[in-house]
Amino acid sequence: WEVRVFMVPPSSGSCHKCGAGGIYASFLYYGSLQEDVLSFEAQDGGKFVYSWFLQVLEAATNVVLGGLLMVVMEGGPRPVPQAAYAISGAVQVSAKYCTTSAMMSGVSFPVATLAKSSKMVPVMAGSLLLGKASYSWREYAHVLMIVGGTAVVSLAGGKKKGGSSSAIGLTFLVAALICDGVVAGTQKRLKADLKAVGFKEKNFEMQFFTSLYMCLAAIVFAVIMGEFAPGVQFCITHPEVGLALAKVSVCSAAGQAFIFYTISNFDPLVCTTVTTTRKVFSVLLSIFVKGHVLDAQGWTGVTLASVGILGELEQKFSARPQKNEDKTK
């Protein structure tokens, strides 16, 4: 869901707080609810194991809210090229599916969240292999800290329910990171396709169309994998899970809307700051509220990864004045 669009500066501090507060509230609650759903165990031992069905619910809610905001704030849809949206939507929902499946396979929420912050790894690897980019020692150091810290946490003992992250779960996380790397390329193609027909990106239009194809892809896979009907039945049998899933979907859609709102009205770095620090807070909230008990090794890993995440953010702040100076020369 990473989108970079340069728009007009903010008109008031209250709007800034609204956007940032909305992102924090939506995604912190989203993470807490998602962890509750994935750790739920009924009296008969039944668990919610319908990852594709969850993607359908989230994407469908994003389609509804994104479509409404697109009509109200952007004047409705335009005849934009659909191929890049379709590819981006399919890959993004695959990334979300892999992340959810990783947690269903035994990877804790803190590990999954920290690992998702390593998405620069496939991007850097692809760029280096193609010979199209070079990176500073700081960028390498930040990535190594995030990856290393995540590995330390995943291998640490004393976690909730014991044991280290499963091999299957970690494999799903790697697949999610690969999908994230592909998404970056599809978004570049999307911008190029829009430019070719004389259009510029519109944020809520992007939320609507991307979510639409995410939803369609999720429905297809949910039906193929036999998750749709069982997922519905599980929610009927366990209404508390159904209610939690509804809240998860609303938080997902609201969080995305606040992200696009913030991008539209402020410097993109403001949104990057909020979403980056939100990951750290989500990890800490999960540890303290959901019963994850970390030993010294686990806390060392969390600290190392968090320093890497915040280091990336600080570097972006430091680079911005330099870019502005270059433009004035």
Side-chain angles (χ1 to χ4, degrees), residues 8-31:
V8 297
S11 58
S12 69
S14 60
C15 292
H16 185 174
K17 294 176 182 178
C18 178
I23 294 172
Y24 278 125
S26 298
F27 283 114
L28 288 176
Y29 193 35
Y30 169 89

Side-chain angles (χ1 to χ4, degrees), residues 67 71 95 124 172:
V71 171
M124 291 175 74
F172 272 122

Side-chain angles (χ1 to χ4, degrees), residues 169-187:
L170 294 176
T171 301
F172 272 122
L173 277 183
V174 172
L177 289 174
I178 293 174
C179 289
D180 285 335
V182 175
V183 167
T186 62
Q187 290 183 340

Side-chain angles (χ1 to χ4, degrees), residues 54-322:
L54 173 57
Q55 307 315 316
V56 172
L57 297 179
E58 283 194 41
T61 309
N62 271 275
V63 170
V64 173
L65 182 58
L68 177 63
L69 293 173
M70 175 181 63
V71 171
V72 173
M73 301 184 68
E74 297 176 345
R78 302 172 297 173
V80 295
Q82 296 295 307
Y85 276 119
I87 296 172
S88 179
V91 177
Q92 286 192 52
V93 78
S94 298
K96 288 176 66 65
Y97 164 79
C98 289
T99 303
T100 304
S101 296
M103 289 189 282
M104 288 181 176
S105 300
V107 175
S108 68
F109 179 84
V111 171
T113 303
L114 291 174
K116 288 289 284 182
S117 299
S118 308
K119 61 180 63 179
M120 267 303 293
V121 173
V123 175
M124 291 175 74
S127 298
L128 290 172
L129 288 174
L130 295 174
K132 293 184 177 180
S134 60
Y135 298 93
S136 67
W137 68 266
R138 280 194 63 180
E139 289 173 306
Y140 285 116
H142 294 153
V143 170
L144 287 174
M145 290 174 74
I146 297 171
V147 174
T150 303
V152 169
V153 178
S154 67
L155 296 174
K159 291 189 297 185
K160 187 177 180 181
K161 297 184 181 179
S164 59
S165 300
S166 71
I168 295 177
L170 294 176
T171 301
F172 272 122
L173 277 183
V174 172
L177 289 174
I178 293 174
C179 289
D180 285 335
V182 175
V183 167
T186 62
Q187 290 183 340
K188 290 181 180 179
R189 176 182 171 181
L190 173 60
K191 291 182 179 181
D193 288 352
L194 290 174
K195 184 178 180 180
V197 294
F199 286 140
K200 292 184 178 181
E201 305 94 325
K202 286 190 176 182
N203 293 316
F204 295 116
E205 179 182 78
M206 187 171 293
Q207 181 182 7
F208 171 76
F209 281 119
T210 302
S211 299
L212 175 63
Y213 289 108
M214 289 177 70
C215 185
L216 293 175
I219 289 174
V220 171
F221 281 108
V223 172
I224 292 175
M225 300 299 291
E227 293 188 11
F228 202 94
V232 173
Q233 184 59 47
F234 191 92
C235 292
I236 294 174
T237 305
H238 306 286
E240 64 272 35
V241 174
L243 178 60
L245 287 174
K247 292 179 180 178
V248 165
S249 300
V250 171
C251 286
S252 173
Q256 292 301 323
F258 278 117
I259 285 177
F260 283 115
Y261 167 80
T262 304
I263 291 173
S264 299
N265 292 279
F266 302 93
D267 188 313
L269 193 55
V270 172
C271 187
T272 300
T273 301
V274 175
T275 55
T276 299
T277 54
R278 188 274 304 173
K279 294 176 183 177
V280 177
F281 290 143
S282 293
V283 169
L284 295 176
L285 181 66
S286 176
I287 292 172
F288 291 123
V289 175
K290 301 301 181 180
H292 298 281
V293 181
L294 297 182
D295 56 13
Q297 178 182 334
W299 278 113
T300 299
V302 169
T303 301
L304 185 63
S306 297
V307 170
I309 293 170
L310 297 177
E312 281 189 336
L313 180 61
E314 189 278 332
Q315 186 176 18
K316 291 177 181 178
F317 268 105
S318 300
R320 182 173 62 168
Q322 181 63 43

